[in-house]
Amino acid sequence: MLVRNEPPVSTMPRRADRSTMPGSASACHQGARARGAVRRVAASIPVPRGSVLRTDASSALPSRGQEVHRGGGGQYVVLSFDSVDHGHLRAILDQRVRDGVIRRTIDKWLKAGVQVGGKLLHPETGTPQGGVVSPLIANAYLHEVLDVWFEQEVRPRLDGSASLIRYADDAVMIFEREADARRVMAVLAKRFARYGLTLHPEKTRLIDFRRPTRKGERGSFDFLGFTHFWGRSRRGYWVVQRKTASSRFGRALKRVAEWCRFNRHRPVADQHDTLVRKLRGHYNYYGITGNSRALGRFRDEVRRAWRKWLDRRSNRAHMKWDRYALLLHRYPLPVPRIVHSSVNVT
């Protein structure tokens, strides 16, 4: 199997040079074959009993809410670490992957490097940024570092119940008792250092996420782009609610505003088509139960940003709000919708 091993470039290629574009027919065909082969190997890695590994972020969120409601919440350990060490990764892959073609393909992806400012860099840590194989490599790596260790070494030594939920390189441990959580927290750094990983000092923390009392404080944390917090349902019960994390909200809005700025002189119809796709993509990920308010606010901010940069297309023909209302009537932006329903009952 032949796989292109060209390093990714930080700038887009020229329009005339279509033979080397990532989206060319030859590159897509070779990449599809490679992705299919690696995915079949990665899918054969078993998930240990007691842990919850999800293949997509939307399915990881409801399962996590179910774990919370079973015992009224608990002590949460949110994990975050730095780049994957290539030496330890190759040793782990040697135990799981016997096919020499697959191993050489993965090594090519790791050694491909990246061009930044005209210079070719070959990092010794991390996985290809934006590459489709990166989540699969992280999954194989963390299966040995975290999943197997949690099931075989951690759970048998705990006094209370515990569970692990992981999506790619994002993981959360849920403990019934605080003492168990603190014991595991104390040995996490040593466990990860054994495989060349360093825990992020600010993002890795212990959170008291039990169901709040009337006077108690309500804990919250961010995971997979959502802020998880306790709130009241329509019937007055305590439920785990989720909303778009403020950091992700601001980052997504900034990208849309920058796009509107640099593309404000394009035809309005073309701008509208792109903004519709951007909004629908945002809804497809963040459109979960209870997040409709954040979705509506994001649409309103995108609408303001679009008018702002349309108003700056010319010094004469300004885009006033009344004129902009007529434009939106002809080119409407999609309304928010809930894509993923996750209703939890206490």
Side-chain angles (χ1 to χ4, degrees):
M1 178 174 58
L2 299 178
V3 180
R4 269 191 163 179
N5 190 31
E6 298 180 357
V9 186
S10 58
T11 58
M12 291 296 295
R14 295 180 179 178
R15 180 177 294 271
D17 189 11
R18 295 184 179 271
S19 61
T20 59
M21 291 183 66
S24 61
S26 176
C28 291
H29 178 68
Q30 296 176 8
R33 294 178 59 190
R35 290 194 296 269
V38 175
R39 280 172 179 162
R40 286 193 294 270
V41 175
S44 63
I45 299 177
V47 179
R49 183 181 179 183
S51 64
V52 180
L53 172 62
R54 296 295 176 177
T55 56
D56 60 275
S58 61
S59 63
L61 295 173
S63 66
R64 183 159 196 267
Q66 294 169 6
E67 293 289 338
V68 172
H69 284 286
R70 287 174 184 174
Q75 304 293 327
Y76 275 43
V77 177
V78 183
L79 303 180
S80 179
F81 47 89
D82 56 7
S83 302
V84 175
D85 181 75
H86 289 180
H88 290 92
L89 174 60
R90 291 189 177 93
I92 293 176
L93 291 177
D94 290 338
Q95 301 175 5
R96 295 284 178 178
V97 183
R98 301 297 182 184
D99 192 304
V101 176
I102 299 296
R103 286 291 289 108
R104 288 192 294 271
T105 302
I106 296 177
D107 287 340
K108 287 182 179 180
W109 275 322
L110 294 176
K111 296 178 180 178
V114 60
Q115 290 185 6
V116 179
K119 297 181 179 179
L120 180 61
L121 304 179
H122 295 277
E124 296 296 331
T125 59
T127 55
Q129 289 293 328
V132 295
V133 74
S134 298
L136 302 178
I137 294 178
N139 177 38
Y141 195 80
L142 288 179
H143 173 77
E144 184 70 25
V145 177
L146 187 59
D147 298 351
V148 176
W149 172 72
F150 183 83
E151 176 63 21
Q152 298 180 359
E153 302 293 337
V154 175
R155 283 170 60 90
R157 292 177 169 83
L158 301 179
D159 296 329
S161 61
S163 60
L164 167 66
I165 297 176
R166 180 170 66 83
Y167 169 70
D169 56 351
D170 294 321
V172 171
M173 295 180 180
I174 307 174
F175 299 91
E176 180 184 4
R177 300 187 178 183
E178 183 179 356
D180 292 338
R182 295 192 178 279
R183 287 168 55 193
V184 175
M185 189 75 174
V187 299
L188 270 179
K190 297 180 180 179
R191 173 65 182 179
F192 277 62
R194 180 180 176 183
Y195 290 88
L197 296 174
T198 303
L199 292 175
H200 197 286
E202 297 180 359
K203 296 182 179 180
T204 303
R205 55 197 179 106
L206 176 62
I207 303 171
D208 186 358
F209 200 67
R210 291 172 293 183
R211 183 182 286 111
T213 59
R214 294 182 178 180
K215 298 181 180 180
E217 296 183 358
R218 305 177 188 179
S220 64
F221 60 93
D222 293 345
F223 182 67
L224 297 180
F226 293 90
T227 298
H228 297 67
F229 61 97
W230 287 97
R232 293 285 189 178
S233 66
R234 294 181 179 179
R235 297 184 178 181
Y237 299 107
W238 284 112
V239 295
V240 176
Q241 298 180 350
R242 307 173 184 89
K243 63 180 180 180
T244 307
S246 58
S247 58
R248 296 295 183 89
F249 186 95
R251 185 175 66 181
L253 183 60
K254 180 180 179 180
R255 290 178 177 177
V256 174
E258 289 180 349
W259 185 92
C260 292
R261 175 188 177 187
F262 293 111
N263 295 273
R264 62 184 183 272
H265 295 297
R266 292 177 55 185
V268 175
D270 294 346
Q271 296 186 44
H272 174 257
D273 292 339
T274 302
L275 289 177
V276 167
R277 291 194 298 268
K278 290 180 180 295
L279 283 173
R280 287 176 178 171
H282 187 85
Y283 299 159
N284 288 338
Y285 185 83
Y286 293 102
I288 65 173
T289 303
N291 197 34
S292 58
R293 182 178 299 179
L295 296 179
R297 189 161 62 93
F298 183 79
R299 179 177 180 269
D300 292 340
E301 294 296 336
V302 170
R303 186 168 53 183
R304 293 188 182 94
W306 193 23
R307 190 211 67 84
K308 172 184 177 180
W309 293 110
L310 287 178
D311 185 55
R312 285 160 173 76
R313 299 181 74 183
S314 172
N315 294 329
R316 298 179 180 179
H318 293 285
M319 182 61 67
K320 302 298 182 180
W321 279 104
D322 52 352
R323 183 186 175 194
Y324 186 58
L326 296 177
L327 184 142
L328 289 179
H329 182 74
R330 183 176 180 180
Y331 299 103
L333 297 177
V335 297
R337 66 188 185 97
I338 302 301
V339 181
H340 311 286
S341 178
S342 56
V343 180
N344 299 316
V345 181
T346 55

